[in-house]
Amino acid sequence: YFELASFSKIITRWFELDKIADPVLKFLFETYFSDFVLNENGFLNQAQALETFHRRLNRVPVDQMDQWEGCMKVISSSIQDIKLKEWTLEKLQYSYEPSLRFRLKALIKPLREIEEIKEIKLDNNFIGHITDSRNFYTHYDFKHKDSPSILKGEKLTKATLKLKIVMILTILKYIGFENPFFSRIIREGRLLNWSYVNCEAMGKRND
């Protein structure tokens, strides 16, 4: 399907990606060649893999880090109580990091150029479900256990597989595959789990 020059570019980009995001690639391969369990832990692992992938490829700009460090100094100097200062700075030590919601939106946005992607509804509703469910299954705050935004059962399974599709397409797009290729493999039924996740829309999230 590719000219030799394109294939060479894809191989080069693959090895570049392997150096940058090796843990994510290892996780992806493990989901194919080992028993990948589709439960809460499988969901959390898949969400973390996407979060890590975005972090490895999108470092926080130096000017933003400088601005953050300046804000931290102002906050630190304005708090006189030592224990309160330590608690506050500990809570804010990773506040420069984008949220999971932001990272998912950034990863999914380029995929929306693929016409067929609209079929599985990778919209803000989906991203809200993923974010709320990740937070719940990480902390198990049981006052939210009956919230309709928390994915369970088959909906959790489908969400996990959708995240896996996002990861596969994002990696392929990064190394040089283009939208017509994605459309073709989807239409030909060669994208793993597509038919299953596409058979039923996820419910609306109540904000």
Side-chain angles (χ1 to χ4, degrees), residues 12-187:
T12 300
R13 293 279 285 179
W14 174 262
F15 282 109
E16 290 175 358
L17 183 62
D18 183 57
K19 293 179 181 178
I20 300 171
D22 175 63
V24 177
L25 298 180
K26 285 182 178 178
F27 171 77
L28 180 60
F29 291 140
E30 285 174 2
T31 66
Y32 282 105
F33 301 114
S34 63
D35 294 329
F36 179 59
V37 181
L38 289 168
N39 58 13
E40 292 87 348
N41 288 332
F43 167 78
L44 289 174
N45 289 338
Q46 188 68 71
Q48 183 183 25
L50 276 169
E51 192 171 30
T52 301
F53 183 84
H54 184 269
R55 182 183 296 112
R56 291 291 181 98
L57 269 65
N58 298 272
R59 298 293 185 183
V60 178
V62 174
D63 59 334
Q64 288 187 25
M65 284 300 298
D66 290 342
Q67 184 180 18
W68 176 81
E69 289 174 358
C71 290
M72 292 293 285
K73 288 179 181 178
V74 171
I75 292 171
S76 178
S77 62
S78 66
I79 302 176
Q80 302 304 316
D81 184 278
I82 295 178
K83 288 186 177 181
L84 179 59
K85 179 185 293 190
E86 290 177 348
W87 181 88
T88 302
L89 295 180
E90 181 181 354
K91 292 296 182 181
L92 296 175
Q93 63 179 327
Y94 298 114
S95 57
Y96 62 87
E97 288 275 9
S99 65
L100 174 62
R101 190 184 304 271
F102 176 90
R103 293 187 188 280
L104 288 175
K105 286 183 177 180
L107 290 171
I108 289 172
K109 184 178 179 179
L111 301 182
R112 289 184 177 142
E113 299 170 2
I114 306 167
E115 185 65 27
E116 290 76 8
I117 282 294
K118 297 175 183 177
E119 298 174 14
I120 61 171
K121 302 186 186 316
L122 300 178
D123 52 17
N124 289 338
N125 180 51
F126 169 74
I127 292 171
H129 277 295
I130 298 301
T131 303
D132 292 347
S133 299
R134 193 285 298 267
N135 292 340
F136 175 74
Y137 290 119
T138 298
H139 305 292
Y140 275 99
D141 185 351
F142 282 95
K143 66 184 179 183
H144 297 301
K145 67 182 178 67
D146 295 323
S147 169
S149 65
I150 306 303
L151 296 166
K152 301 173 184 176
E154 187 178 22
K155 286 186 177 180
L156 183 68
T157 297
K158 287 186 176 182
T160 304
L161 293 175
K162 284 186 180 184
L163 291 179
K164 186 174 181 179
I165 287 172
V166 170
M167 175 177 285
I168 292 169
L169 295 181
T170 300
I171 289 173
L172 292 176
K173 198 173 185 69
Y174 177 85
I175 65 176
F177 287 87
E178 298 179 351
N179 292 344
F181 171 80
F182 300 135
S183 294
R184 184 168 65 249
I185 63 172
I186 290 171
R187 289 196 305 268

